[in-house]
Amino acid sequence: MEAKQVFSNMAPYTPGKQIEDVKKEYGLDKIVKLASNENPFGYSEKVREAIPNMLNGLEIYPDGYAKALREEIAAKLSVKKDQLTFGCGSDEIIDMLCKTYLEKGTNTIMATPSFPQYKHNALIQGAEIIEVPLINGYHDLAAMLKAVNEATRIVWLCSPNNPTGSLISKEDLIDFLEKCPDHTLVVLDEAYYEYIDRSINPNSVALLNDYDNLVILRTFSKAYGLANLRVGYGIASEEITKYLNITRGPFNTTTISQLSALTAFLDTDFLEKTYQENITNKQTFMQFCDDVGLEYYDSEANFLFVKLPTSGDQLFTYLLKNGFIVRSGEALGHPNGVRITIGSKENMTELQELMKNYLATV
């Protein structure tokens, strides 16, 4: 049977190398994965302790409203409960937005390179894609505004941007929202929100009071360390949220996922430790790059995109053979570089030594 015509020019998402596959391929006992921006410090011990108590009732459908998690997040963010939509990761919220607002005859605007799922899901809905190149890793907001027209339904702002880590300042964000027409949704993807330096954090949720076309995305996959359990959420006006919940599947997040996310959300000590460790280890890695003459993009996330004098695949392969998985820029629209998740102090020290050895050979 034939699928939509657009599928003939598309491919499934290709994840990074898996640990067990690399061990087998290269005969290695130890693998350090710094490719997918997961939390190298794991997840809250309180989640580990709580999960055994979540196993009763697996034969019963989960709470489709995610009531307990919804109430806690709404109270913490000072938003109404009906301003929240929950998804199987923020990936699913992106898919919901595309299904709800995009169709043939509409267009959507995004930076490039940026998170690929915006484009992927928009293409499936038949929308025209307008990509605006980054400038030194940052969104070219002026050019994105210039591209908006009557058919523009969604503009995607990834901040901090993946794969560069660049942050859209609060001033620039407000200026963009002021100038963007009301008929266009502005989706602010803040998957790495918890890593942003608090002195420059835009505190975007407060802007929802002034801009009805703003949608904010966040996730438990990064700083909270629950990537495997797939919980993300969107924050928007009650009207937008109502439409998204019509699109959403009725039981799209499990009881274990919801309660684990709630437990992680309440463990502020683990989140603080993650935040501080990331800052310290990232600063050390940036200093290493400065010392060996490698440039990198400004990053307010838990990764650094490092520019290289060679292709990203070359360093990727070298590190892979030595037990480290990073993300080559070849797969991210930026071939001469690699995106490296900030790991533990021990792992980053070992990685830096390997990178120094590699650079001595090129």
Side-chain angles (χ1 to χ4, degrees):
M1 294 182 67
E2 288 189 21
K4 293 179 181 179
Q5 183 60 39
V6 69
F7 282 93
S8 63
N9 296 315
M10 297 178 69
Y13 174 77
T14 304
K17 287 274 191 177
Q18 298 301 301
I19 290 174
E20 292 307 315
D21 292 340
V22 175
K23 281 184 178 180
K24 190 173 182 180
E25 184 176 353
Y26 293 99
L28 299 168
D29 296 322
K30 174 190 169 187
I31 298 293
V32 178
K33 187 183 177 191
L34 301 176
S36 301
N37 307 332
E38 297 143 332
N39 192 329
F41 311 110
Y43 55 93
S44 167
E45 187 62 31
K46 293 180 180 178
V47 173
R48 190 186 306 275
E49 294 167 357
I51 281 180
N53 299 319
M54 302 175 190
L55 299 179
N56 292 327
L58 294 184
E59 74 283 5
I60 299 170
Y61 284 111
D63 174 9
Y65 190 66
K67 183 175 184 290
L69 180 59
R70 179 183 300 274
E71 289 180 347
E72 198 64 45
I73 292 177
K76 178 73 176 291
L77 299 183
S78 299
V79 299
K80 296 176 182 177
K81 289 180 285 187
D82 287 340
Q83 288 184 260
L84 296 170
T85 306
F86 292 90
C88 181
S90 53
D91 286 3
E92 189 184 19
I93 312 291
I94 293 167
D95 187 33
M96 289 182 207
L97 285 161
C98 291
K99 287 177 177 176
T100 304
Y101 290 98
L102 299 179
E103 58 189 338
K104 188 174 182 180
T106 67
N107 69 62
T108 181
I109 300 169
M110 62 205 68
T112 184
S114 192
F115 188 52
Q117 292 307 101
Y118 312 142
K119 181 177 181 178
H120 181 90
N121 288 297
L123 283 170
I124 291 173
Q125 301 307 321
E128 177 191 0
I129 308 299
I130 300 174
E131 295 181 288
V132 178
L134 300 172
I135 298 177
N136 296 323
Y138 286 87
H139 286 62
D140 186 349
L141 295 176
M144 294 178 83
L145 276 172
K146 191 174 181 180
V148 174
N149 58 38
E150 286 300 316
T152 305
R153 294 280 185 86
I154 303 177
V155 177
W156 306 90
L157 303 179
C158 188
S159 182
N161 185 52
N162 180 8
T164 60
S166 57
L167 179 73
I168 298 172
S169 71
K170 185 172 185 177
E171 296 74 21
D172 288 344
L173 178 59
I174 291 174
D175 182 68
F176 188 91
L177 289 165
E178 283 288 328
K179 295 174 180 175
C180 190
D182 293 341
H183 71 264
T184 298
L185 285 186
V186 177
V187 179
L188 181 66
D189 187 348
E190 294 187 324
Y192 301 94
Y193 175 83
E194 291 81 10
Y195 289 107
I196 300 170
D197 183 335
R198 289 165 188 162
S199 67
I200 58 172
N201 196 309
N203 297 313
S204 53
V205 170
L207 300 177
L208 290 166
N209 295 323
D210 299 316
Y211 304 99
D212 291 336
N213 60 334
L214 176 62
V215 180
I216 298 168
L217 305 182
R218 293 188 184 169
T219 184
F220 284 91
S221 296
K222 303 304 181 182
Y224 289 100
L226 299 181
N228 194 280
L229 292 181
R230 314 304 301 128
V231 183
Y233 59 101
I235 321 159
S237 70
E238 290 177 281
E239 179 183 11
I240 291 171
T241 301
K242 179 185 74 174
Y243 292 142
L244 294 179
N245 279 321
I246 292 171
T247 304
R248 178 180 63 84
F251 304 110
N252 62 327
T253 57
T254 68
T255 298
I256 293 174
S257 296
Q258 292 173 25
L259 295 180
S260 295
L262 175 58
T263 304
F265 190 72
L266 295 173
D267 189 357
T268 55
D269 288 342
F270 175 79
L271 195 63
E272 180 66 20
K273 177 180 181 292
T274 289
Y275 172 78
Q276 296 294 346
E277 290 277 359
N278 179 71
I279 287 177
T280 299
N281 296 348
K282 183 166 64 175
Q283 288 175 341
T284 300
F285 186 48
M286 289 163 62
Q287 184 60 58
F288 162 78
C289 290
D290 291 341
D291 292 342
V292 298
L294 290 177
E295 295 182 358
Y296 47 86
Y297 289 117
D298 298 334
S299 175
E300 286 297 327
N302 68 329
F303 58 83
L304 204 65
F305 192 97
V306 181
K307 304 173 190 179
L308 297 170
T310 63
S311 76
D313 278 359
Q314 286 177 272
L315 177 57
F316 165 81
T317 301
Y318 176 84
L319 292 175
L320 195 62
K321 291 177 179 178
N322 286 279
F324 278 77
I325 309 175
V326 300
R327 191 69 159 158
S328 170
E330 297 271 2
L332 302 171
H334 197 317
N336 292 106
V338 288
R339 190 191 66 196
I340 299 175
T341 304
I342 304 301
S344 67
K345 181 179 179 180
E346 176 186 2
N347 288 336
M348 295 306 290
T349 299
E350 188 176 349
L351 173 75
Q352 287 162 199
E353 198 60 37
L354 286 170
M355 289 180 66
K356 191 184 295 183
N357 293 339
Y358 168 78
L359 291 169
T361 68
V362 299

